[in-house]
C-alpha cells in the first residue's frame, strides 16, 4: 500500500452531477453512506449540493469525522466571458475550500457546447482564448487563495484526448497549472493511462481513479451513440471490472514519487437502482487491496 496517497470519494459516485436534481440523493445521505463505506475524505461536488454556509458544513463534516480535499468545478471555457464567470465561481468556492483546509481546486471545461465531436477541435484563436482563461484562473486560485489548481481533461470537451492534454501542458506554466488525471476518461478517449503517467507524471498533482468498459464503449461506437448515452449505459464501471490496468497504473504512479490525493470516482447518473453505496464499498476495497493508497 502506498502510504503517500490518500484515498477519497466524491458526490458523483452517488449519482450527483448537479447542485439540485430530483434524481439525486440528499447531501446527508451521501455523507452518511460515504462514512459507512469507510471514507474520511471527500470532494465537495457541484457548488450548492452540500451546504454552502461554512459553519453548517463544518459541523456536518465534524459529526462524521470527515475532511475535504477539493471540489470538482465545471464551467464553459469557450464563451467570451469565460474568465468573468469562472472568477465569480472561484470567489464563491475557494473561500469554502480554504476554511475547510482543502488543498486543491479541480476544474474542468463544460461539456454541453460541443454538439459534434469536431466542434472540440478548436481553431487557433479559440485555443488561445481557452489557454488564457485557464492560465489566468489558475493564477487567481494559487495567488489569492493559496490552493493548487488541477485541470481535469474531460470527455466531450475541448481538452479530452492525449493530444489536447499535451498541448495544454506545453502552453501552461507548471507553477500554476497541473492535472487532475482521470484514468477512466483517458482510456475512454483512446489513451493508455499508465503510459501517460510515465511520461507526464511530473505535471499530475491529483488523481481520479476510475475504470472504463471497452465492451460498452465498443457498443456505443457501433451504434453511433453519444458520450452521454455511453455514461448512461454505464461505460464507467466499478474498479477492476473494466479495462484500466490498475497494476500498471499503480507502478507508474509510484515511480513518479507522487504523494497526495486519489479520488475514487465512478460516474453514475442517475442511481435508480440504489447501487452507489455498494459500488463505493467495492471500489474502496479494490483500491486498498491493490495498494493504490490508504484510508
Amino acid at each position: 500500500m502506498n502510504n503517500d496517497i490518500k484515498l477519497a470519494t466524491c458526490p458523483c459516485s452517488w449519482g450527483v452531477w448537479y447542485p439540485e436534481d430530483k434524481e439525486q440523493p440528499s447531501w446527508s445521505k451521501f455523507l452518511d453512506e460515504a462514512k459507512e463505506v469507510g471514507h474520511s475524505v471527500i470532494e465537495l461536488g457541484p457548488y450548492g449540493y452540500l451546504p454552502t454556509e461554512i459553519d453548517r458544513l463544518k459541523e456536518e463534516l465534524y459529526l462524521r469525522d470527515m475532511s475535504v480535499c477539493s471540489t470538482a468545478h465545471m464551467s464553459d471555457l469557450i464563451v467570451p466571458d469565460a474568465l468573468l464567470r469562472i472568477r465569480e465561481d472561484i470567489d464563491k468556492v475557494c473561500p469554502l475550500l480554504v476554511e475547510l483546509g482543502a488543498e486543491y481546486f479541480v476544474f474542468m471545461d463544460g461539456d454541453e457546447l460541443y454538439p459534434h465531436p469536431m466542434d472540440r477541435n478548436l481553431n487557433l484563436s479559440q485555443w488561445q482564448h481557452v489557454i488564457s482563461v485557464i492560465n489566468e484562473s489558475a493564477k487567481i486560485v494559487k495567488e489569492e487563495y493559496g490552493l493548487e489548481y488541477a485541470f481535469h481533461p474531460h470527455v466531450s470537451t475541448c481538452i479530452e484526448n492525449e493530444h489536447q492534454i499535451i498541448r495544454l501542458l506545453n502552453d501552461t506554466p507548471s507553477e500554476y497549472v497541473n492535472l487532475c488525471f482521470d484514468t477512466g476518461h483517458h482510456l475512454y478517449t483512446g489513451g493508455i493511462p499508465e503510459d501517460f503517467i510515465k511520461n507526464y507524471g511530473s505535471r499530475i498533482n491529483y488523481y481520479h481513479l476510475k475504470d472504463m468498459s471497452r465492451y460498452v464503449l465498443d457498443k456505443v461506437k457501433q451504434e453511433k451513440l453519444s458520450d452521454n448515452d455511453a455514461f448512461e449505459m454505464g461505460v464507467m464501471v466499478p474498479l477492476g471490472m473494466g479495462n484500466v490496468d490498475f497494476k500498471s497504473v499503480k507502478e507508474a504512479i509510484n515511480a513518479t514519487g507522487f504523494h497526495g490525493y486519489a479520488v475514487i470516482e465512478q460516474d453514475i447518473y442517475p442511481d435508480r437502482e440504489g447501487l452507489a453505496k455498494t459500488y463505493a464499498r467495492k471500489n474502496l476495497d479494490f483500491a486498498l487491496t491493490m495498494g493504490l493508497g490508504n484510508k
Side-chain angles (χ1 to χ4, degrees):
M1 182 181 297
N2 190 331
N3 290 321
D4 292 327
I5 299 178
K6 183 74 172 178
L7 298 171
T9 192
C10 53
C12 73
S13 292
W14 268 258
V16 176
W17 288 10
Y18 308 102
E20 294 183 13
D21 188 284
K22 64 181 181 180
E23 298 271 18
Q24 298 175 172
S26 68
W27 60 264
S28 58
K29 181 178 180 180
F30 158 67
L31 289 179
D32 289 342
E33 293 190 352
K35 180 66 177 178
E36 289 172 31
V37 165
H39 283 288
S40 62
V41 184
I42 62 165
E43 287 182 348
L44 290 181
Y47 181 80
Y49 174 63
L50 288 166
T52 57
E53 199 279 308
I54 186 61
D55 290 337
R56 173 81 186 283
L57 184 53
K58 279 184 175 180
E59 179 182 11
E60 296 294 343
L61 294 169
Y62 175 79
L63 290 172
R64 297 169 177 86
D65 193 24
M66 302 184 87
S67 61
V68 171
C69 56
S70 180
T71 192
H73 187 76
M74 177 179 282
S75 186
D76 297 320
L77 284 170
I78 62 169
V79 296
D81 62 343
L83 184 57
L84 177 62
R85 293 187 188 186
I86 294 169
R87 169 88 222 205
E88 291 175 350
D89 293 341
I90 288 171
D91 289 340
K92 290 188 298 185
V93 175
C94 286
L96 269 182
L97 294 174
V98 172
E99 284 284 341
L100 294 169
E103 299 174 54
Y104 298 89
F105 177 83
V106 176
F107 178 85
M108 64 195 82
D109 186 20
D111 60 2
E112 296 184 354
L113 297 183
Y114 310 95
H116 189 278
M118 289 302 295
D119 296 331
R120 304 167 200 167
N121 297 323
L122 306 185
N123 61 39
L124 180 59
S125 176
Q126 290 172 319
W127 180 260
Q128 289 174 336
H129 169 73
V130 163
I131 291 299
S132 175
V133 172
I134 292 172
N135 281 333
E136 289 301 314
S137 56
K139 190 173 181 180
I140 293 167
V141 167
K142 182 71 175 283
E143 293 190 350
E144 297 188 20
Y145 292 100
L147 298 169
E148 294 298 321
Y149 178 98
F151 185 89
H152 185 328
H154 199 280
V155 170
S156 299
T157 72
C158 69
I159 303 176
E160 62 172 357
N161 62 43
E162 191 161 299
H163 169 75
Q164 293 161 335
I165 300 169
I166 294 170
R167 190 180 181 190
L168 165 74
L169 295 180
N170 288 336
D171 289 349
T172 56
S174 60
E175 60 264 35
Y176 291 116
V177 179
N178 288 289
L179 295 178
C180 166
F181 184 74
D182 187 306
T183 54
H185 281 254
H186 201 74
L187 186 64
Y188 183 99
T189 56
I192 302 174
E194 58 269 29
D195 288 351
F196 186 88
I197 294 167
K198 289 175 187 175
N199 292 324
Y200 298 96
S202 63
R203 293 293 298 274
I204 299 172
N205 62 353
Y206 196 92
Y207 280 90
H208 277 178
L209 301 177
K210 186 183 297 175
D211 209 347
M212 195 279 299
S213 168
R214 196 168 272 126
Y215 171 80
V216 176
L217 181 59
D218 287 345
K219 186 175 182 181
V220 168
K221 290 180 177 179
Q222 289 167 6
E223 298 181 16
K224 298 181 180 179
L225 302 175
S226 69
D227 293 333
N228 284 340
D229 292 328
F231 278 76
E232 290 185 12
M233 290 168 63
V235 71
M236 299 301 174
V237 294
L239 301 188
M241 295 183 65
N243 297 99
V244 173
D245 182 351
F246 281 103
K247 181 177 183 294
S248 296
V249 165
K250 181 186 74 170
E251 292 171 354
I253 293 174
N254 289 346
T256 69
F258 175 81
H259 55 90
Y261 292 99
V263 178
I264 299 171
E265 186 182 42
Q266 186 179 345
D267 290 322
I268 302 172
Y269 181 82
D271 180 28
R272 294 196 176 111
E273 297 181 19
L275 293 172
K277 185 169 77 167
T278 299
Y279 286 156
R281 180 173 282 117
K282 289 181 178 180
N283 286 336
L284 179 57
D285 288 346
F286 177 88
L288 291 170
T289 301
M290 285 292 296
L292 290 164
N294 69 91
K295 294 196 292 184

